[in-house]
């Protein structure tokens, strides 16, 4: 095969280097990218703010949130649902008013037709002809309520080409931003991390590399250590502790209460690239 230079663009052969360069420039094609450390959310960080949780709570699916952030999210969603519901109710009232106007117009039309017939019966030929001329409908767009249906060409939403979009009744359920499952505030479980007690380490908790440890074995927790939350007390333990200690007798190692498999909530890891979040 003919050899080509790296910057050759006029050759008959599309080289691997040219293909790779064009793929990177266009964003298409097969691209392998290593997920770095900065692309993984820390195990104790909120899935919304990506910052360490001051008051951590967890969902039954294992996604960690800061309580303040998730409450603000729920409130904003409820406000949005309330706004959409008001627009839907306004649309219903407008449709009802239109139906009433049509019914009233039909009633007035029947009444006018009846009065015209009565006038024609009791009047003579000449008077009836005059009345016909006077009863002819007006060609003006400002009479008989036609002014309400005139388009407003200076308002984009009122132009004749714009079709009114019929709103559907909004769903009142708030969904989890990570799993898109129904989310209720009372279903969130308070999480209790066990602090690493090191008297020689005077650093702030946020900048510490080793902040928390397993509540039972005191192993240091990190992104490389799979963790779980005990539903009944909110204690964070390692999955190794769950497999080797808790599942042996299904008894809480710290309180002695009986546990079930439902009481163990594995903490989910979240990977993200720029602003696109991928839950794993």
């Amino acid at each position: 095969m003919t050899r080509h230079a790296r910057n050759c663009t006029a050759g008959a052969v599309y080289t691997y280097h040219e293909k790779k360069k064009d793929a990177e420039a266009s964003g298409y094609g097969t691209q392998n990218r290593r997920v770095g450390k900065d692309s993984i959310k820390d195990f104790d960080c909120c899935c919304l703010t990506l910052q360490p949780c001051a008051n951590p709570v967890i969902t039954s699916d294992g996604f960690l949130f800061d309580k303040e952030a998730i409450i603000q999210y729920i409130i904003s969603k409820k406000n949005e649902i309330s706004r959409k519901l008001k627009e839907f109710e306004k649309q219903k009232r407008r449709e009802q008013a239109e139906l009433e106007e049509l019914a009233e117009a039909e009633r007035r039309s029947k009444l006018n037709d009846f009065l015209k017939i009565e006038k024609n019966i009791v009047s003579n030929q000449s008077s009836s002809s005059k009345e016909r001329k006077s009863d002819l409908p007006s060609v003006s767009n400002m009479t008989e309520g036609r002014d309400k249906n005139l388009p407003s060409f200076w308002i984009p939403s009122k132009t004749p080409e714009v079709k009114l979009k019929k709103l559907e009744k909004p769903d009142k359920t708030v969904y989890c931003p990570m799993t898109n499952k129904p989310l209720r505030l009372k279903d969130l479980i308070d999480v209790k991390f066990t602090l690493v007690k090191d008297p020689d380490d005077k650093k702030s908790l946020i900048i510490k590399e080793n902040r928390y440890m397993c509540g039972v074995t005191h192993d240091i927790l990190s992104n490389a250590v799979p963790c779980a939350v005990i539903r009944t007390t909110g204690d964070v333990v390692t999955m190794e502790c769950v497999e080797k200690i808790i599942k042996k007798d299904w008894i809480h190692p710290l309180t002695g209460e009986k546990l079930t498999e439902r009481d163990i909530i594995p903490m989910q890891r979240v990977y993200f690239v720029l602003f696109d979040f991928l839950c794993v």
Side-chain angles (χ1 to χ4, degrees):
M1 182 178 291
T2 309
R3 297 179 60 128
H4 289 263
R6 285 192 170 186
N7 295 324
C8 177
T9 57
V13 180
Y14 193 35
T15 65
Y16 172 77
H17 177 77
E18 293 166 355
K19 181 179 179 181
K20 185 177 179 182
K21 184 172 67 174
D22 292 343
E24 291 177 355
S26 63
Y28 294 97
T30 303
Q31 298 181 16
N32 296 326
R33 185 176 298 176
R34 186 186 296 274
V35 178
K37 181 181 178 182
D38 295 336
S39 298
I40 305 175
K41 179 186 75 67
D42 287 341
F43 71 96
D44 62 334
C45 289
C46 173
C47 291
L48 288 175
T49 64
L50 304 181
Q51 299 298 322
C53 296
N55 191 3
V57 293
I58 196 170
T59 65
S60 57
D61 294 308
F63 290 97
L64 193 72
F65 296 98
D66 188 85
K67 195 167 188 177
E68 182 180 357
I70 195 63
I71 288 177
Q72 288 180 355
Y73 173 82
I74 293 175
I75 291 174
S76 64
K77 287 297 181 182
K78 285 188 176 181
N79 289 339
E80 183 180 353
I81 292 170
S82 177
R83 178 183 58 81
K84 290 182 178 179
L85 192 59
K86 287 181 180 178
E87 292 179 356
F88 177 74
E89 295 294 337
K90 184 179 179 180
Q91 176 185 263
K92 284 182 64 178
R93 289 195 297 269
R94 186 170 61 248
E95 291 176 352
Q96 184 66 26
E98 289 176 356
L99 290 176
E100 292 177 357
E101 287 181 2
L102 289 175
E104 180 64 20
E106 185 177 359
R107 188 188 67 81
R108 279 192 273 108
S109 176
K110 289 181 179 179
L111 180 60
N112 291 335
D113 291 343
F114 175 77
L115 292 176
K116 287 179 182 179
I117 294 173
E118 290 294 324
K119 286 181 180 179
N120 289 335
I121 294 175
V122 299
S123 63
N124 54 26
Q125 186 76 22
S126 59
S127 61
S128 63
S129 62
K130 291 180 180 179
E131 287 177 358
R132 287 194 197 100
K133 291 181 180 179
S134 61
D135 292 338
L136 289 175
S138 175
V139 295
S140 175
N141 286 330
M142 305 302 292
T143 59
E144 299 180 1
R146 281 178 283 184
D147 56 330
K148 297 180 180 179
N149 299 324
L150 288 177
S152 300
F153 295 96
W154 53 90
I155 303 177
S157 60
K158 298 290 186 179
T159 55
E161 291 78 9
V162 175
K163 295 182 179 179
L164 291 177
K165 185 178 180 182
K166 189 172 183 180
L167 300 176
E168 300 293 337
K169 188 174 183 180
D171 189 359
K172 296 182 180 180
T173 307
V174 178
Y175 295 95
C176 176
M178 306 304 294
T179 61
N180 204 27
K181 293 181 180 179
L183 177 66
R184 295 183 298 179
L185 188 60
K186 65 179 182 180
D187 293 335
L188 298 175
I189 302 160
D190 292 329
V191 176
K192 184 168 62 177
F193 284 105
T194 305
L195 294 172
V196 176
K197 298 178 181 179
D198 187 359
D200 297 331
D201 194 353
K202 304 297 182 181
K203 296 180 181 178
S204 174
L205 181 64
I206 296 179
I207 62 176
K208 282 184 180 180
E209 185 174 354
N210 300 325
R211 294 192 286 264
Y212 303 111
M213 61 183 180
C214 174
V216 178
T217 63
H218 291 185
D219 292 334
I220 301 298
L221 303 181
S222 66
N223 286 348
V225 179
C227 307
V229 175
I230 301 177
R231 183 190 297 270
T232 55
T233 60
D235 290 298
V236 180
V237 296
T238 61
M239 289 302 295
E240 185 178 6
C241 172
V242 173
E243 297 293 336
K244 294 184 178 181
I245 299 177
I246 296 178
K247 285 188 176 182
K248 185 178 293 185
D249 299 318
W250 287 108
I251 294 178
H252 197 302
L254 301 178
T255 62
E257 61 181 326
K258 201 72 176 174
L259 298 176
T260 61
E261 191 169 357
R262 181 177 174 271
D263 294 326
I264 306 300
I265 304 175
M267 295 180 66
Q268 303 294 333
R269 298 183 183 183
V270 178
Y271 298 86
F272 61 93
V273 179
L274 295 179
F275 297 101
D276 296 329
F277 292 83
L278 174 64
C279 305
V280 179

